[in-house]
Amino acid sequence: MIIIITKQPTNKTQGHITLGYGNLNQLQVNGSVRTPLVKDKLFLGLDGSFSSRDGYIKNTFLDHTELLGNEMATGNVRLSWLMNDKWSLTLRTGVEFRDIDAYALVGGIGNNGAQLDSLRENHPYELDYNTEGNYISTLTNSALKLSYYGDKIFFKAISALQTTSLEIRGEEFDFSRFDITESNTNRDILTFSEELRIGSNQNDSRFNWLAGAFFYYYQYDNRGGFTNGVDNAFFAPSPEIAEIYPYIQRQSSLLKQTGISLYANADYALTDNLTFTAGLRYEIEDSESDNTTTYSLRGNEDFSFPPLGLLPAEFGAEAEFSALSPKASLSYKISSDQMIYGSVARGYRPGGINAFTTEGNGLTYDPEFTWNYELGLKSTFLENKMRLNLTAFYIDYTDQQLFTLVDITTFNLGNENIGKSISYGLELEWDYLLFKGLQASVNVGYLETEIKEFSVVGFAGEVDNAGNTNAFAPTWSGNMSLAYNTKIQDVQLGIFADYQFQTEMWLDPENVYSQPVYGLLNGRITGAYKCVELAVCAQNLADVVYFSYGYSVQGFGGFASYGLPRTVGTSLSYRF
């Protein structure tokens, strides 16, 4: 679990402004201010940012090097009202705007692992598209939190509303220079949630507890279409079918999900050193979807073509999922500086309805469950100069979900349950203050995964993938870093360097496409004088070419996206 604790308001006006610039024409401007409106009672916080960067992927067919260029602007407002020493009310609202010049997946139809490796090694940061997409999105986030902290209990009520409006134009869908498929889509997403949380607030008690309820409503409205271009005629089995190209396939999908969960968690100190923790969560979710598919041929909005299976369709679907998720753990304090623990918990991911499918195969998919087992040691030594944490884990997956080709006859994409798999490994965290100002850190993870059940029907027939390794699961991964901070007269200097690494990993559960072992060297140098700080930072200093993401579609082809090349920049900050 990650707990984010925001900086609390004070009666002092504070703020900062930062200007930054780097290669790829990177520009960054951000600033914030926090100030009291009514002393000890009402506080205002404002922050905003703007960033832009040129693209780094070249479309050789259109001779254009702007893919993955982007602009982003954000703005946030926070109002905090401290009613008294126990009650507070906080309102946060913000907006974010993004404009991205296409996405950039290399590979494509019929591509295999060797071909993908050749692209990365011989033609990095290049692709071959006949069209380039543009993503424009606007996101809003608002939350209202009422908090009470008493002598024995605390209470929180959190209401949140999130909206996303996304417009996609000219999205390349066949990943080639041929005019086969282009997508144009509008998506509106709305999420509303309400959480009520109550718990004990006694640090000296042997028994502490937490309970709550969480309600959410999710709505996904997709309106778009695919333009099936003239080059499809070359693959048509007959002249009659070849004549229908180009035509437009329009899809409308409205997905609604409503869910509620109840949870409780309690800690009890059996002795001064031994603590038992138990938790339970029950969740239920209802999903419903309405889907419509129509076709248009040269202005004919009622077009249908049975030989190719192009028939207007309208259907709906409903599904309900629920689960009970328990958790239990024991922790033992060996001393004030060392603790060992063990835990077991059941994880749950709800099933759902695939929005881009038909009334046939692959319409719905089941929940995913896991049993998670963990043993660990947390410790500090040498008067807190050294920290050592070690964790061993084992995870058993049932009905694991995967985004893939769910119906080969209609070429529909969506989530599918692939069966069973396991993963187990070790994680090590080590920090050591070598001497005043110099700290070393090492984080290493060892991971083994195995797919126990996963058979798919692709273009080459049924394939049994049992025994394969899960995607995005390198055997070894981690990072090593050194941080040095010192003060020379009135100037504070800092030097930080880290090396992130991982061994080979598969990009797909069928183990066809992989990213070989690689490492990224990053660094940062800062100098601060009073309220001014100058920083120079760099990522991927060795300019390593690697795939940060990839996937495959059951014998249809493999696709991958490049990580950022070397980036170097400087920034100037002023704090007040």
Side-chain angles (χ1 to χ4, degrees):
M1 176 180 291
I2 298 175
I3 300 176
I4 299 175
I5 302 175
T6 57
K7 187 176 181 180
Q8 296 303 303
T10 67
N11 287 318
K12 183 179 179 181
T13 297
Q14 296 176 310
H16 87 280
I17 184 169
T18 299
L19 304 175
Y21 187 78
N23 68 325
L24 296 179
N25 201 28
Q26 295 182 83
L27 175 65
Q28 182 179 20
V29 181
N30 63 72
S32 68
V33 61
R34 286 173 170 79
T35 187
L37 299 180
V38 178
K39 186 178 180 180
D40 296 328
K41 289 292 183 181
L42 187 62
F43 305 88
L44 172 68
L46 301 172
D47 67 79
S49 68
F50 173 82
S51 63
S52 64
R53 188 195 67 212
D54 291 345
Y56 60 95
I57 307 294
K58 182 176 182 179
N59 186 339
T60 57
F61 184 72
L62 299 179
D63 193 24
H64 189 226
T65 313
E66 281 302 319
L67 276 73
L68 293 184
N70 65 74
E71 290 184 356
M72 183 173 71
T74 67
N76 299 280
V77 179
R78 170 176 170 161
L79 278 172
S80 299
W81 179 24
L82 305 183
M83 307 176 193
N84 51 47
D85 58 349
K86 294 183 178 180
W87 287 93
S88 65
L89 185 67
T90 301
L91 172 65
R92 298 191 187 97
T93 185
V95 62
E96 179 177 311
F97 174 81
R98 299 178 183 174
D99 187 346
I100 303 175
D101 293 325
Y103 67 91
L105 291 172
V106 296
I109 301 172
N111 193 275
N112 58 37
Q115 291 168 318
L116 206 60
D117 290 340
S118 178
L119 290 173
R120 181 185 59 244
E121 295 169 4
N122 302 313
H123 302 281
Y125 309 116
E126 293 182 0
L127 47 73
D128 207 28
Y129 289 179
N130 70 300
T131 184
E132 294 177 357
N134 181 241
Y135 286 57
I136 298 177
S137 61
T138 303
L139 301 85
T140 67
N141 290 276
S142 298
L144 181 65
K145 180 175 71 174
L146 177 66
S147 302
Y148 169 80
Y149 283 91
D151 297 330
K152 295 183 178 181
I153 65 169
F154 77 88
F155 168 79
K156 290 184 179 181
I158 306 170
S159 304
L161 177 66
Q162 301 172 331
T163 67
T164 301
S165 178
L166 174 63
E167 181 181 3
I168 304 175
R169 289 292 171 261
E171 180 181 34
E172 176 64 46
F173 220 70
D174 56 81
F175 314 103
S176 73
R177 62 169 57 193
F178 301 107
D179 184 10
I180 296 177
T181 307
E182 176 185 325
S183 173
N184 294 277
T185 305
N186 288 87
R187 294 174 187 163
D188 292 313
I189 303 172
L190 180 146
T191 303
F192 173 76
S193 65
E194 180 71 38
E195 182 174 10
L196 302 176
R197 192 185 309 165
I198 187 171
S200 60
N201 192 30
Q202 296 174 282
N203 295 327
D204 57 348
S205 174
R206 300 178 70 92
F207 178 72
N208 288 286
W209 55 274
L210 170 70
F214 182 77
F215 166 83
Y216 63 90
Y217 172 79
Y218 172 84
Q219 180 175 294
Y220 176 92
D221 186 4
N222 184 85
R223 306 169 307 281
F226 297 91
T227 300
N228 296 276
V230 295
D231 288 340
N232 284 278
F234 292 106
F235 309 102
S238 69
E240 180 187 20
I241 293 179
E243 289 178 357
I244 73 168
Y245 296 100
Y247 71 89
I248 297 174
Q249 175 182 334
R250 293 192 175 94
Q251 287 184 312
S252 174
S253 177
L254 180 61
L255 175 65
K256 299 178 181 179
Q257 295 175 326
T258 304
I260 188 170
S261 61
L262 306 173
Y263 60 88
N265 191 85
D267 299 328
Y268 182 69
L270 301 172
T271 69
D272 290 340
N273 295 328
L274 184 63
T275 300
F276 175 70
T277 301
L280 191 64
R281 182 185 185 98
Y282 176 74
E283 181 174 342
I284 185 170
E285 179 181 280
D286 287 318
S287 298
E288 61 177 86
S289 177
D290 293 310
N291 303 274
T292 301
T293 302
T294 60
Y295 301 91
S296 173
L297 175 65
R298 292 184 280 278
N300 180 6
E301 300 298 327
D302 298 320
F303 169 68
S304 66
F305 196 68
L308 198 58
L310 303 181
L311 297 172
E314 185 174 350
F315 65 94
E318 295 183 359
E320 182 180 299
F321 307 98
S322 62
L324 193 63
S325 304
K327 173 187 177 180
S329 69
L330 273 174
S331 61
Y332 180 76
K333 290 183 179 179
I334 302 173
S335 67
S336 60
D337 296 326
Q338 287 90 38
M339 180 191 75
I340 58 174
Y341 67 93
S343 69
V344 57
R346 190 191 194 206
Y348 164 69
R349 178 185 293 177
I353 302 172
N354 286 315
F356 303 105
T357 187
T358 60
E359 208 165 358
N361 296 330
L363 178 59
T364 62
Y365 54 96
D366 296 327
E368 174 185 312
F369 293 95
T370 64
W371 278 105
N372 310 279
Y373 307 90
E374 187 173 320
L375 292 172
L377 164 71
K378 294 184 179 295
S379 59
T380 58
F381 302 93
L382 305 176
E383 298 180 344
N384 293 326
K385 291 181 180 180
M386 186 172 74
R387 178 174 65 94
L388 177 66
N389 296 334
L390 182 64
T391 304
F393 62 89
Y394 181 93
I395 305 175
D396 189 353
Y397 295 87
T398 301
D399 288 330
Q400 191 171 5
Q401 296 171 7
L402 173 72
F403 184 79
T404 184
L405 183 67
V406 297
D407 189 346
I408 192 172
T409 59
T410 57
F411 197 69
N412 286 320
L413 299 172
N415 285 320
E416 183 179 53
N417 300 98
I418 68 172
K420 298 181 179 180
S421 68
I422 61 170
S423 66
Y424 56 92
L426 297 170
E427 293 180 351
L428 170 71
E429 299 174 290
W430 177 81
D431 296 304
Y432 184 46
L433 186 63
L434 301 174
F435 55 82
K436 183 179 179 180
L438 181 63
Q439 179 166 316
S441 298
V442 176
N443 297 281
V444 178
Y446 171 75
L447 176 65
E448 291 285 351
T449 69
E450 182 182 355
I451 295 175
K452 294 295 187 179
E453 297 179 10
F454 177 30
S455 294
V456 298
V457 179
F459 291 93
E462 184 172 356
V463 179
D464 185 3
N465 292 286
N468 284 1
T469 298
N470 270 321
F472 303 103
T475 302
W476 292 96
S477 63
N479 73 285
M480 299 173 287
S481 66
L482 281 173
Y484 179 68
N485 290 280
T486 188
K487 191 172 184 179
I488 302 176
Q489 294 183 347
D490 293 330
V491 178
Q492 186 76 37
L493 296 177
I495 301 175
F496 176 80
D498 81 302
Y499 181 73
Q500 303 171 8
F501 65 91
Q502 66 176 51
T503 56
E504 182 181 26
M505 71 175 182
W506 296 104
L507 301 176
D508 65 310
E510 295 173 284
N511 292 181
V512 175
Y513 310 94
S514 70
Q515 166 57 51
V517 58
Y518 73 95
L520 303 178
L521 179 62
N522 312 300
R524 180 179 175 89
I525 300 174
T526 61
Y529 176 74
K530 295 185 178 179
C531 299
V532 179
E533 180 185 86
L534 179 65
V536 178
C537 57
Q539 293 181 303
N540 192 6
L541 270 167
D543 206 16
V544 176
V545 180
Y546 67 100
F547 290 137
S548 60
Y549 172 73
Y551 71 98
S552 69
V553 183
Q554 299 175 8
F556 177 74
F559 314 90
S561 178
Y562 289 105
L564 272 170
R566 179 193 297 119
T567 57
V568 181
T570 184
S571 64
L572 181 65
S573 300
Y574 174 73
R575 299 183 181 276
F576 57 89

